[in-house]
Amino acid sequence: MTPEEFRAWGKQVVDWIADYQAGIERYPVRSSVAPGEIRAALPAHPPERGEPFDAVLADLDRVLLPGITHWQHPDFYAYFPANASGPAILGDLLSSGLGVQGMVWATSPACTELETVVVDWLAELLGLPGHVRTDAAGGGVIQDSASSAALVACLAALHRASGGRAATEGITRRYALYVSAHTHSSLERAARMAGIGADNVRVVDVDPATQAMDPEHLAALLAADRAAGVVPALVCATVGTTSTTAIDPVPAIGRICREHGVWLHVDGAYAGVAAVCPELRWVLDGVGEFADSFCTNPHKWLLTNFDCSVLWMADRAPLVAALSILPEYLRNAATASGEVIDYRDWQVPLGRRFRALKLWAVLRWYGAEGLRAHIRRTVALAQEFAALVRADERFEVLEPHPLGLVCFRPLGPDADGRALAGMEELNASGALYLTHTKVDGRVVLRFAIGSPRTERRHVLAAWQRIRRALT
Ligand SMILES: *Cc1c(COP(=O)(O)O)cnc(C)c1O
């Protein structure tokens, strides 16, 4: 593709995206294709001769769109949001256009240095303390996902807990990792991948009223493990659990971790970004003071296309020591000088995309003010939705719901069955999309508001549909 061909097709692609965004409401939110349907509509063999790009665009419309679930639809209330935005899409396009491989500083200094600036900017916007800045002992890095962030935090924690031996000798003792029943499954995965093992993942009790981790039970489990010769490696506290946005008591957990010398990872994948609003900054209480690592995903609720998960460390040394390997072919003067950051040492893969461009574009386009307005608007809509549900005595709302997610359930006989059947009917209709979870063994519906396209009229109409389907 020559630059002139690229220019022509590129304009068409941008037009396609703009038309898609402008007309997104005409699609059913959830795709209703059957398994294998899209595959069956695609050729079994790759083309022998190149095809014009309009053939690709035509198949996008004809074959793929029916198999797309429209995450950017204003009536998408499932899971958590995965915000896409104009500036982030354009930033990603520029990253693709530059085609930079930013594995070490020397392979593109701007790729590393812009990343250090945007993660420091974001730390400031979230009110994180100075020691997590990249120009201090800590530092931030953009990972592909909170799951990767959890894995590298785990490897850093093992490095510290083993005095560096985990990296050389492997796991020669029993280590344990501490979660609650509502901690994201990526933590158990991290324990498996890091060699800690799923049997050494301890599940700390939660407070039945709030679903938040019980610090006293954590302390008891830590003490029992230490008495049994098991080395506590990492505690994960969650700020905004995936199920219900429960917020673990980080200050109390942090004090216990400090007492036991255990690594505290705080997973704020969804909710952490809410701290751009001063009135919501309490969600990060204790994080700056106690967390050894903290992660939040601009790719969920902060208007930045997937993938963009930011991990900050209080001290980057254990992470870099755990992961740094310097083969001859990567040796260079800048790395040898020790004056630069080589982000390959902060992540699992060697190669890395120039993800900072899209976050930079988002932070500049919206400004702190625009980001706050987005969070505030979606939180306010969620509060309005919760008030509507609460006002109907046939429903129960799970309290508290301080962010963009509202969990609720119908009351009465066979509430679980009716909730699931009503949800499936709504989702199959294509009018909206919501998901469910279980709390204390009972089915609870999740209504997550987070799209810049969701307006009050969408929420009011969604509630009318939900009410009809569930009563
Ligand atoms: C969504 C979520 C994750 C996983 O995020 P990825 O970036 O998709 O790996 C982890 N933890 C919590 C609390 C989440 O809500």
Side-chain angles (χ1 to χ4, degrees), residues 38-97:
I38 302 298
R39 182 172 180 139
L42 291 164
H45 304 287
E48 177 62 26
R49 305 186 61 183
E51 298 177 63
F53 201 76
D54 49 1
V56 174
L57 289 178
D59 283 349
L60 173 62
D61 284 325
R62 188 180 61 84
V63 181
L64 299 183
L65 268 182
I68 295 292
T69 288
H70 300 279
W71 282 71
Q72 308 309 318
H73 194 295
D75 284 303
F76 183 98
Y77 307 109
Y79 308 106
F80 279 135
N83 287 171
S85 72
I89 296 167
L90 295 174
D92 235 356
L93 182 59
L94 290 169
S95 167
S96 295

Short mmCIF file of all heavy atoms in Angstrom, two decimals, residues 38-97:
data_model
loop_
_atom_site.label_atom_id
_atom_site.label_comp_id
_atom_site.label_asym_id
_atom_site.label_seq_id
_atom_site.Cartn_x
_atom_site.Cartn_y
_atom_site.Cartn_z
N ILE A 38 -20.17 -16.90 12.18
CA ILE A 38 -19.27 -15.95 11.51
C ILE A 38 -18.18 -16.72 10.76
O ILE A 38 -17.88 -16.44 9.60
CB ILE A 38 -18.62 -15.00 12.55
CG1 ILE A 38 -19.70 -14.24 13.33
CG2 ILE A 38 -17.65 -14.04 11.87
CD1 ILE A 38 -20.58 -13.35 12.50
N ARG A 39 -17.66 -17.72 11.41
CA ARG A 39 -16.61 -18.51 10.77
C ARG A 39 -17.11 -19.12 9.45
O ARG A 39 -16.43 -19.11 8.44
CB ARG A 39 -16.15 -19.62 11.70
CG ARG A 39 -15.05 -20.40 11.07
CD ARG A 39 -14.38 -21.40 11.96
NE ARG A 39 -13.37 -22.01 11.11
CZ ARG A 39 -12.16 -22.32 11.47
NH1 ARG A 39 -11.78 -22.13 12.70
NH2 ARG A 39 -11.31 -22.84 10.60
N ALA A 40 -18.36 -19.62 9.50
CA ALA A 40 -18.92 -20.27 8.31
C ALA A 40 -19.11 -19.27 7.17
O ALA A 40 -19.11 -19.67 6.00
CB ALA A 40 -20.24 -20.94 8.66
N ALA A 41 -19.25 -18.00 7.51
CA ALA A 41 -19.46 -16.99 6.46
C ALA A 41 -18.14 -16.49 5.87
O ALA A 41 -18.14 -15.66 4.95
CB ALA A 41 -20.27 -15.83 7.05
N LEU A 42 -17.03 -16.94 6.42
CA LEU A 42 -15.71 -16.50 5.94
C LEU A 42 -15.09 -17.58 5.07
O LEU A 42 -15.34 -18.77 5.28
CB LEU A 42 -14.81 -16.18 7.14
CG LEU A 42 -15.22 -14.95 7.95
CD1 LEU A 42 -14.52 -14.94 9.31
CD2 LEU A 42 -14.90 -13.67 7.18
N PRO A 43 -14.26 -17.18 4.11
CA PRO A 43 -13.62 -18.19 3.25
C PRO A 43 -12.75 -19.14 4.08
O PRO A 43 -12.14 -18.72 5.07
CB PRO A 43 -12.74 -17.37 2.31
CG PRO A 43 -13.16 -15.96 2.47
CD PRO A 43 -13.85 -15.81 3.78
N ALA A 44 -12.71 -20.37 3.66
CA ALA A 44 -11.94 -21.36 4.41
C ALA A 44 -10.43 -21.18 4.18
O ALA A 44 -9.62 -21.62 5.00
CB ALA A 44 -12.37 -22.76 4.00
N HIS A 45 -10.07 -20.55 3.06
CA HIS A 45 -8.65 -20.44 2.71
C HIS A 45 -8.26 -18.99 2.47
O HIS A 45 -9.08 -18.20 2.04
CB HIS A 45 -8.37 -21.29 1.45
CG HIS A 45 -8.79 -22.72 1.63
ND1 HIS A 45 -8.09 -23.60 2.43
CD2 HIS A 45 -9.87 -23.40 1.16
CE1 HIS A 45 -8.71 -24.76 2.44
NE2 HIS A 45 -9.79 -24.67 1.68
N PRO A 46 -7.01 -18.66 2.73
CA PRO A 46 -6.56 -17.28 2.51
C PRO A 46 -6.49 -16.99 1.01
O PRO A 46 -6.30 -17.91 0.21
CB PRO A 46 -5.17 -17.25 3.15
CG PRO A 46 -4.68 -18.65 3.11
CD PRO A 46 -5.90 -19.52 3.24
N PRO A 47 -6.64 -15.72 0.64
CA PRO A 47 -6.60 -15.39 -0.79
C PRO A 47 -5.19 -15.59 -1.36
O PRO A 47 -4.20 -15.27 -0.70
CB PRO A 47 -7.00 -13.91 -0.82
CG PRO A 47 -6.66 -13.39 0.53
CD PRO A 47 -6.83 -14.53 1.49
N GLU A 48 -5.12 -16.10 -2.55
CA GLU A 48 -3.83 -16.28 -3.21
C GLU A 48 -3.35 -14.94 -3.74
O GLU A 48 -2.18 -14.60 -3.65
CB GLU A 48 -3.99 -17.30 -4.35
CG GLU A 48 -2.74 -17.55 -5.18
CD GLU A 48 -1.59 -18.13 -4.35
OE1 GLU A 48 -1.84 -18.79 -3.32
OE2 GLU A 48 -0.43 -17.90 -4.74
N ARG A 49 -4.28 -14.15 -4.27
CA ARG A 49 -3.90 -12.84 -4.81
C ARG A 49 -4.49 -11.76 -3.92
O ARG A 49 -5.58 -11.89 -3.38
CB ARG A 49 -4.45 -12.70 -6.23
CG ARG A 49 -4.00 -13.85 -7.14
CD ARG A 49 -4.42 -13.64 -8.55
NE ARG A 49 -3.83 -12.42 -9.10
CZ ARG A 49 -4.08 -11.97 -10.32
NH1 ARG A 49 -4.93 -12.63 -11.11
NH2 ARG A 49 -3.51 -10.88 -10.77
N GLY A 50 -3.72 -10.66 -3.79
CA GLY A 50 -4.17 -9.55 -2.96
C GLY A 50 -5.51 -9.01 -3.43
O GLY A 50 -5.84 -9.08 -4.61
N GLU A 51 -6.27 -8.45 -2.49
CA GLU A 51 -7.58 -7.91 -2.83
C GLU A 51 -7.59 -6.41 -2.53
O GLU A 51 -6.82 -5.94 -1.70
CB GLU A 51 -8.65 -8.57 -1.95
CG GLU A 51 -8.78 -10.06 -2.12
CD GLU A 51 -9.82 -10.61 -1.14
OE1 GLU A 51 -10.99 -10.22 -1.24
OE2 GLU A 51 -9.44 -11.40 -0.26
N PRO A 52 -8.48 -5.68 -3.17
CA PRO A 52 -8.59 -4.26 -2.83
C PRO A 52 -9.16 -4.08 -1.42
O PRO A 52 -9.88 -4.95 -0.93
CB PRO A 52 -9.56 -3.71 -3.89
CG PRO A 52 -10.30 -4.91 -4.40
CD PRO A 52 -9.40 -6.09 -4.22
N PHE A 53 -8.83 -2.94 -0.82
CA PHE A 53 -9.24 -2.75 0.57
C PHE A 53 -10.75 -2.63 0.71
O PHE A 53 -11.31 -2.95 1.76
CB PHE A 53 -8.53 -1.53 1.18
CG PHE A 53 -8.50 -1.59 2.68
CD1 PHE A 53 -7.61 -2.44 3.33
CD2 PHE A 53 -9.39 -0.84 3.43
CE1 PHE A 53 -7.61 -2.53 4.72
CE2 PHE A 53 -9.38 -0.92 4.82
CZ PHE A 53 -8.49 -1.77 5.46
N ASP A 54 -11.43 -2.18 -0.34
CA ASP A 54 -12.89 -2.07 -0.18
C ASP A 54 -13.55 -3.43 0.00
O ASP A 54 -14.63 -3.53 0.57
CB ASP A 54 -13.56 -1.23 -1.27
CG ASP A 54 -13.15 -1.63 -2.67
OD1 ASP A 54 -12.34 -2.58 -2.80
OD2 ASP A 54 -13.62 -0.99 -3.62
N ALA A 55 -12.87 -4.48 -0.45
CA ALA A 55 -13.42 -5.83 -0.22
C ALA A 55 -13.40 -6.15 1.28
O ALA A 55 -14.31 -6.79 1.81
CB ALA A 55 -12.62 -6.87 -1.00
N VAL A 56 -12.34 -5.68 1.96
CA VAL A 56 -12.25 -5.89 3.41
C VAL A 56 -13.38 -5.12 4.11
O VAL A 56 -14.09 -5.66 4.97
CB VAL A 56 -10.87 -5.42 3.93
CG1 VAL A 56 -10.82 -5.49 5.45
CG2 VAL A 56 -9.75 -6.27 3.32
N LEU A 57 -13.55 -3.85 3.70
CA LEU A 57 -14.60 -3.04 4.34
C LEU A 57 -15.99 -3.62 4.07
O LEU A 57 -16.85 -3.61 4.96
CB LEU A 57 -14.52 -1.59 3.85
CG LEU A 57 -13.32 -0.80 4.37
CD1 LEU A 57 -13.32 0.62 3.78
CD2 LEU A 57 -13.32 -0.72 5.89
N ALA A 58 -16.18 -4.13 2.89
CA ALA A 58 -17.50 -4.70 2.56
C ALA A 58 -17.78 -5.91 3.45
O ALA A 58 -18.90 -6.08 3.95
CB ALA A 58 -17.56 -5.09 1.09
N ASP A 59 -16.76 -6.75 3.67
CA ASP A 59 -16.97 -7.92 4.53
C ASP A 59 -17.12 -7.52 6.00
O ASP A 59 -17.79 -8.23 6.77
CB ASP A 59 -15.82 -8.92 4.37
CG ASP A 59 -15.98 -9.71 3.07
OD1 ASP A 59 -17.06 -9.63 2.45
OD2 ASP A 59 -15.02 -10.41 2.69
N LEU A 60 -16.50 -6.43 6.36
CA LEU A 60 -16.69 -5.93 7.73
C LEU A 60 -18.18 -5.65 7.94
O LEU A 60 -18.78 -6.07 8.94
CB LEU A 60 -15.85 -4.65 7.93
CG LEU A 60 -16.05 -3.88 9.23
CD1 LEU A 60 -15.67 -4.72 10.45
CD2 LEU A 60 -15.21 -2.60 9.23
N ASP A 61 -18.78 -4.97 6.98
CA ASP A 61 -20.22 -4.65 7.08
C ASP A 61 -21.08 -5.91 7.00
O ASP A 61 -21.99 -6.11 7.79
CB ASP A 61 -20.64 -3.72 5.93
CG ASP A 61 -20.18 -2.29 6.19
OD1 ASP A 61 -20.18 -1.87 7.36
OD2 ASP A 61 -19.83 -1.59 5.22
N ARG A 62 -20.79 -6.74 6.01
CA ARG A 62 -21.69 -7.83 5.68
C ARG A 62 -21.52 -9.03 6.61
O ARG A 62 -22.48 -9.59 7.11
CB ARG A 62 -21.40 -8.27 4.23
CG ARG A 62 -22.38 -9.27 3.63
CD ARG A 62 -21.97 -9.60 2.19
NE ARG A 62 -20.63 -10.20 2.12
CZ ARG A 62 -20.38 -11.50 2.30
NH1 ARG A 62 -21.35 -12.34 2.56
NH2 ARG A 62 -19.13 -11.96 2.21
N VAL A 63 -20.25 -9.38 6.89
CA VAL A 63 -20.00 -10.63 7.62
C VAL A 63 -19.76 -10.38 9.12
O VAL A 63 -20.30 -11.09 9.96
CB VAL A 63 -18.77 -11.37 7.03
CG1 VAL A 63 -18.52 -12.67 7.77
CG2 VAL A 63 -18.96 -11.62 5.54
N LEU A 64 -18.94 -9.36 9.41
CA LEU A 64 -18.51 -9.23 10.81
C LEU A 64 -19.49 -8.48 11.69
O LEU A 64 -19.69 -8.85 12.85
CB LEU A 64 -17.13 -8.58 10.87
CG LEU A 64 -16.00 -9.35 10.18
CD1 LEU A 64 -14.67 -8.64 10.39
CD2 LEU A 64 -15.90 -10.78 10.72
N LEU A 65 -20.10 -7.41 11.17
CA LEU A 65 -20.94 -6.59 12.05
C LEU A 65 -22.04 -7.38 12.77
O LEU A 65 -22.29 -7.13 13.95
CB LEU A 65 -21.54 -5.40 11.29
CG LEU A 65 -20.70 -4.12 11.36
CD1 LEU A 65 -21.41 -2.98 10.62
CD2 LEU A 65 -20.39 -3.69 12.78
N PRO A 66 -22.68 -8.35 12.10
CA PRO A 66 -23.68 -9.12 12.86
C PRO A 66 -23.08 -9.86 14.05
O PRO A 66 -23.80 -10.18 15.00
CB PRO A 66 -24.20 -10.12 11.81
CG PRO A 66 -23.91 -9.50 10.49
CD PRO A 66 -22.63 -8.72 10.68
N GLY A 67 -21.79 -10.11 14.00
CA GLY A 67 -21.13 -10.81 15.11
C GLY A 67 -20.47 -9.86 16.10
O GLY A 67 -19.65 -10.30 16.91
N ILE A 68 -20.79 -8.60 16.01
CA ILE A 68 -20.21 -7.62 16.93
C ILE A 68 -21.21 -7.31 18.04
O ILE A 68 -22.39 -7.05 17.78
CB ILE A 68 -19.84 -6.31 16.19
CG1 ILE A 68 -18.72 -6.56 15.17
CG2 ILE A 68 -19.43 -5.22 17.18
CD1 ILE A 68 -17.36 -6.91 15.75
N THR A 69 -20.73 -7.37 19.28
CA THR A 69 -21.49 -6.83 20.41
C THR A 69 -21.01 -5.39 20.57
O THR A 69 -19.80 -5.15 20.62
CB THR A 69 -21.26 -7.68 21.66
OG1 THR A 69 -21.94 -8.92 21.47
CG2 THR A 69 -21.78 -7.00 22.91
N HIS A 70 -21.95 -4.48 20.63
CA HIS A 70 -21.59 -3.05 20.52
C HIS A 70 -21.29 -2.45 21.89
O HIS A 70 -22.17 -1.88 22.53
CB HIS A 70 -22.68 -2.32 19.74
CG HIS A 70 -22.83 -2.87 18.36
ND1 HIS A 70 -21.99 -2.52 17.32
CD2 HIS A 70 -23.63 -3.85 17.88
CE1 HIS A 70 -22.31 -3.23 16.24
NE2 HIS A 70 -23.30 -4.05 16.56
N TRP A 71 -20.06 -2.60 22.28
CA TRP A 71 -19.61 -2.13 23.59
C TRP A 71 -19.74 -0.62 23.74
O TRP A 71 -19.81 -0.12 24.86
CB TRP A 71 -18.15 -2.55 23.82
CG TRP A 71 -18.01 -3.99 24.21
CD1 TRP A 71 -18.20 -5.08 23.41
CD2 TRP A 71 -17.65 -4.49 25.50
NE1 TRP A 71 -17.98 -6.22 24.13
CE2 TRP A 71 -17.64 -5.90 25.41
CE3 TRP A 71 -17.33 -3.89 26.72
CZ2 TRP A 71 -17.32 -6.71 26.51
CZ3 TRP A 71 -17.01 -4.69 27.80
CH2 TRP A 71 -17.01 -6.08 27.70
N GLN A 72 -19.75 0.09 22.62
CA GLN A 72 -19.84 1.56 22.71
C GLN A 72 -21.29 2.04 22.59
O GLN A 72 -21.55 3.24 22.55
CB GLN A 72 -18.96 2.21 21.63
CG GLN A 72 -17.52 1.72 21.61
CD GLN A 72 -16.85 1.76 22.98
OE1 GLN A 72 -17.02 2.73 23.73
NE2 GLN A 72 -16.09 0.73 23.32
N HIS A 73 -22.21 1.12 22.55
CA HIS A 73 -23.64 1.46 22.46
C HIS A 73 -24.08 2.13 23.78
O HIS A 73 -23.66 1.70 24.85
CB HIS A 73 -24.43 0.17 22.23
CG HIS A 73 -25.84 0.37 21.79
ND1 HIS A 73 -26.79 0.96 22.59
CD2 HIS A 73 -26.47 0.05 20.63
CE1 HIS A 73 -27.95 1.00 21.95
NE2 HIS A 73 -27.77 0.45 20.74
N PRO A 74 -24.92 3.15 23.70
CA PRO A 74 -25.34 3.80 24.96
C PRO A 74 -26.12 2.87 25.89
O PRO A 74 -26.20 3.14 27.09
CB PRO A 74 -26.23 4.96 24.48
CG PRO A 74 -26.56 4.68 23.06
CD PRO A 74 -25.44 3.83 22.52
N ASP A 75 -26.71 1.81 25.35
CA ASP A 75 -27.45 0.86 26.21
C ASP A 75 -26.64 -0.37 26.56
O ASP A 75 -27.20 -1.41 26.90
CB ASP A 75 -28.78 0.48 25.55
CG ASP A 75 -29.80 1.59 25.68
OD1 ASP A 75 -30.08 2.00 26.83
OD2 ASP A 75 -30.29 2.10 24.65
N PHE A 76 -25.32 -0.27 26.50
CA PHE A 76 -24.45 -1.34 26.97
C PHE A 76 -24.22 -1.12 28.46
O PHE A 76 -23.55 -0.16 28.86
CB PHE A 76 -23.11 -1.31 26.21
CG PHE A 76 -22.18 -2.44 26.59
CD1 PHE A 76 -22.09 -3.58 25.81
CD2 PHE A 76 -21.39 -2.36 27.74
CE1 PHE A 76 -21.25 -4.63 26.16
CE2 PHE A 76 -20.55 -3.39 28.10
CZ PHE A 76 -20.47 -4.53 27.31
N TYR A 77 -24.78 -2.00 29.29
CA TYR A 77 -24.64 -1.89 30.75
C TYR A 77 -24.00 -3.14 31.35
O TYR A 77 -24.08 -3.36 32.55
CB TYR A 77 -26.02 -1.67 31.39
CG TYR A 77 -26.80 -0.52 30.80
CD1 TYR A 77 -27.93 -0.75 29.99
CD2 TYR A 77 -26.41 0.81 31.01
CE1 TYR A 77 -28.65 0.30 29.44
CE2 TYR A 77 -27.13 1.86 30.46
CZ TYR A 77 -28.24 1.60 29.67
OH TYR A 77 -28.94 2.65 29.12
N ALA A 78 -23.44 -3.98 30.48
CA ALA A 78 -22.89 -5.26 30.93
C ALA A 78 -21.48 -5.09 31.51
O ALA A 78 -20.84 -4.06 31.30
CB ALA A 78 -22.84 -6.23 29.74
N TYR A 79 -21.01 -6.09 32.21
CA TYR A 79 -19.63 -6.13 32.73
C TYR A 79 -19.23 -4.78 33.32
O TYR A 79 -19.91 -4.25 34.19
CB TYR A 79 -18.65 -6.55 31.63
CG TYR A 79 -19.09 -7.84 30.94
CD1 TYR A 79 -19.64 -7.83 29.66
CD2 TYR A 79 -18.99 -9.06 31.60
CE1 TYR A 79 -20.07 -9.00 29.06
CE2 TYR A 79 -19.41 -10.23 31.00
CZ TYR A 79 -19.95 -10.20 29.73
OH TYR A 79 -20.37 -11.36 29.14
N PHE A 80 -18.13 -4.23 32.78
CA PHE A 80 -17.78 -2.84 33.05
C PHE A 80 -17.63 -2.17 31.70
O PHE A 80 -17.46 -2.86 30.69
CB PHE A 80 -16.45 -2.75 33.83
CG PHE A 80 -16.58 -2.99 35.31
CD1 PHE A 80 -15.69 -3.81 35.96
CD2 PHE A 80 -17.58 -2.37 36.05
CE1 PHE A 80 -15.78 -4.03 37.33
CE2 PHE A 80 -17.70 -2.58 37.42
CZ PHE A 80 -16.80 -3.41 38.06
N PRO A 81 -17.68 -0.84 31.66
CA PRO A 81 -17.49 -0.19 30.36
C PRO A 81 -16.09 -0.46 29.81
O PRO A 81 -15.16 -0.73 30.57
CB PRO A 81 -17.68 1.29 30.67
CG PRO A 81 -17.50 1.42 32.14
CD PRO A 81 -17.93 0.12 32.74
N ALA A 82 -15.98 -0.38 28.50
CA ALA A 82 -14.67 -0.43 27.84
C ALA A 82 -14.65 0.79 26.93
O ALA A 82 -14.73 0.68 25.71
CB ALA A 82 -14.49 -1.71 27.04
N ASN A 83 -14.53 1.94 27.55
CA ASN A 83 -14.63 3.20 26.81
C ASN A 83 -13.68 3.28 25.63
O ASN A 83 -12.48 3.03 25.77
CB ASN A 83 -14.27 4.39 27.71
CG ASN A 83 -15.30 4.76 28.77
OD1 ASN A 83 -15.01 5.59 29.62
ND2 ASN A 83 -16.47 4.16 28.72
N ALA A 84 -14.23 3.65 24.49
CA ALA A 84 -13.41 4.09 23.36
C ALA A 84 -13.71 5.58 23.20
O ALA A 84 -14.80 6.02 23.52
CB ALA A 84 -13.78 3.33 22.10
N SER A 85 -12.77 6.34 22.73
CA SER A 85 -13.05 7.76 22.49
C SER A 85 -12.27 8.21 21.27
O SER A 85 -11.26 7.59 20.91
CB SER A 85 -12.63 8.59 23.70
OG SER A 85 -11.22 8.66 23.78
N GLY A 86 -12.74 9.29 20.66
CA GLY A 86 -12.07 9.82 19.47
C GLY A 86 -10.57 10.02 19.67
O GLY A 86 -9.76 9.49 18.90
N PRO A 87 -10.18 10.78 20.69
CA PRO A 87 -8.74 11.03 20.84
C PRO A 87 -7.94 9.74 21.06
O PRO A 87 -6.80 9.62 20.57
CB PRO A 87 -8.64 11.97 22.05
CG PRO A 87 -9.99 11.96 22.70
CD PRO A 87 -10.98 11.58 21.64
N ALA A 88 -8.54 8.77 21.77
CA ALA A 88 -7.79 7.52 22.01
C ALA A 88 -7.65 6.72 20.72
O ALA A 88 -6.60 6.13 20.45
CB ALA A 88 -8.48 6.69 23.09
N ILE A 89 -8.71 6.70 19.92
CA ILE A 89 -8.63 5.98 18.64
C ILE A 89 -7.56 6.63 17.77
O ILE A 89 -6.74 5.94 17.15
CB ILE A 89 -10.00 6.00 17.91
CG1 ILE A 89 -11.05 5.25 18.74
CG2 ILE A 89 -9.88 5.39 16.52
CD1 ILE A 89 -12.49 5.48 18.26
N LEU A 90 -7.56 7.94 17.73
CA LEU A 90 -6.57 8.64 16.90
C LEU A 90 -5.15 8.43 17.44
O LEU A 90 -4.20 8.25 16.67
CB LEU A 90 -6.91 10.13 16.79
CG LEU A 90 -8.24 10.41 16.07
CD1 LEU A 90 -8.58 11.90 16.13
CD2 LEU A 90 -8.19 9.94 14.62
N GLY A 91 -5.02 8.43 18.76
CA GLY A 91 -3.70 8.18 19.35
C GLY A 91 -3.20 6.78 19.00
O GLY A 91 -2.03 6.58 18.69
N ASP A 92 -4.13 5.82 19.03
CA ASP A 92 -3.78 4.44 18.68
C ASP A 92 -3.38 4.34 17.20
O ASP A 92 -2.46 3.61 16.84
CB ASP A 92 -4.99 3.53 18.93
CG ASP A 92 -4.65 2.36 19.85
OD1 ASP A 92 -3.47 2.22 20.22
OD2 ASP A 92 -5.57 1.60 20.18
N LEU A 93 -4.10 5.09 16.37
CA LEU A 93 -3.79 5.09 14.94
C LEU A 93 -2.39 5.66 14.70
O LEU A 93 -1.61 5.13 13.92
CB LEU A 93 -4.85 5.90 14.19
CG LEU A 93 -4.74 5.97 12.67
CD1 LEU A 93 -4.80 4.58 12.06
CD2 LEU A 93 -5.87 6.83 12.10
N LEU A 94 -2.09 6.73 15.43
CA LEU A 94 -0.75 7.31 15.29
C LEU A 94 0.31 6.31 15.76
O LEU A 94 1.38 6.19 15.15
CB LEU A 94 -0.65 8.61 16.09
CG LEU A 94 -1.47 9.76 15.50
CD1 LEU A 94 -1.54 10.93 16.48
CD2 LEU A 94 -0.88 10.22 14.16
N SER A 95 0.00 5.59 16.82
CA SER A 95 0.95 4.58 17.31
C SER A 95 1.18 3.52 16.24
O SER A 95 2.32 3.13 15.95
CB SER A 95 0.39 3.96 18.59
OG SER A 95 1.11 2.79 18.93
N SER A 96 0.08 3.09 15.60
CA SER A 96 0.23 2.11 14.52
C SER A 96 1.00 2.72 13.36
O SER A 96 1.81 2.04 12.72
CB SER A 96 -1.14 1.66 14.02
OG SER A 96 -1.81 0.96 15.02
N GLY A 97 0.72 3.98 13.09
CA GLY A 97 1.38 4.64 11.97
C GLY A 97 2.88 4.75 12.18
O GLY A 97 3.67 4.57 11.25
#
